[in-house]
Amino acid sequence: MSLQTLIMDEIKTAMRAKDTVALEALRAIKSEMLLAATASGSKEDLTEDDEVKLLQKLVKTRKESARIFTEQNRPDLAEPELAQIAVIEKFLPAQLSEEEVEAVIAKIIAETGASGIASMGKVMGLASAQLGGTAEGKTISTIVKKLLV
């Protein structure tokens, strides 16, 4: 079942349950998918990788908003953002732990013979491609820096 069909089914379920937080998050996903599909100008559907990137982007923006609201002592605004993150993350592949990500990156560094911060771009490119939607870019970057220095 495609992500778009799954989202539509979840929207109907949220409407029946009168779950406004889930409904808002699901509508945001649907909106971003429509914008991405029409922005490219192609008649093709979004690939699975595109869908994962789109969902990760939505989670990232909500995490940033929640962080800002928390810093400004506005838990009333941060809570809905965190609740929406939980709804969106249901559609993402399972995230790897930091130890698992570190093991994959260490293997990449060993295979490429990378050393020093100068080869960070090469390692980041390979790690991002290999880890796909299973780890955040920020986590990958932090671990790569730690292992290369």
Side-chain angles (χ1 to χ4, degrees):
M1 182 180 296
S2 74
L3 180 62
Q4 199 161 10
T5 307
L6 189 59
I7 295 296
M8 290 304 297
D9 291 344
E10 289 291 321
I11 287 175
K12 291 173 190 172
T13 304
M15 289 173 94
R16 287 187 196 111
K18 296 183 181 7
D19 186 352
T20 57
V21 173
L23 191 57
E24 190 174 337
L26 293 165
R27 284 181 172 158
I29 295 170
K30 180 182 173 191
S31 172
E32 285 293 322
M33 288 177 67
L34 282 171
L35 286 172
T38 57
S40 64
S42 65
K43 293 177 175 49
E44 298 176 17
D45 289 339
L46 294 173
T47 65
E48 194 170 322
D49 286 343
D50 292 338
E51 291 171 347
V52 169
K53 287 177 185 172
L54 185 136
L55 293 173
Q56 285 178 327
K57 179 181 142 195
L58 290 171
V59 168
K60 182 178 178 182
T61 57
R62 278 162 181 71
K63 281 184 180 178
E64 181 65 20
S65 297
R67 185 188 62 77
I68 291 169
F69 291 142
T70 303
E71 286 175 0
Q72 295 176 350
N73 200 19
R74 294 295 309 265
D76 58 316
L77 297 175
E79 288 174 18
E81 297 290 329
L82 296 172
Q84 286 185 24
I85 289 170
V87 171
I88 297 168
E89 284 181 337
K90 288 193 295 187
F91 302 102
L92 282 170
Q95 299 292 299
L96 296 176
S97 69
E98 284 195 30
E99 293 79 27
E100 293 170 318
V101 173
E102 192 168 333
V104 171
I105 292 173
K107 181 181 168 197
I108 291 171
I109 290 172
E111 288 173 355
T112 60
S115 63
I117 204 74
S119 52
M120 183 173 171
K122 179 180 180 182
V123 175
M124 279 294 297
L126 292 169
S128 296
Q130 191 169 346
L131 294 170
T134 59
E136 287 185 355
K138 187 174 183 178
T139 305
I140 296 170
S141 174
T142 304
I143 293 172
V144 168
K145 282 180 188 171
K146 183 176 92 174
L147 294 176
L148 286 177
V149 173

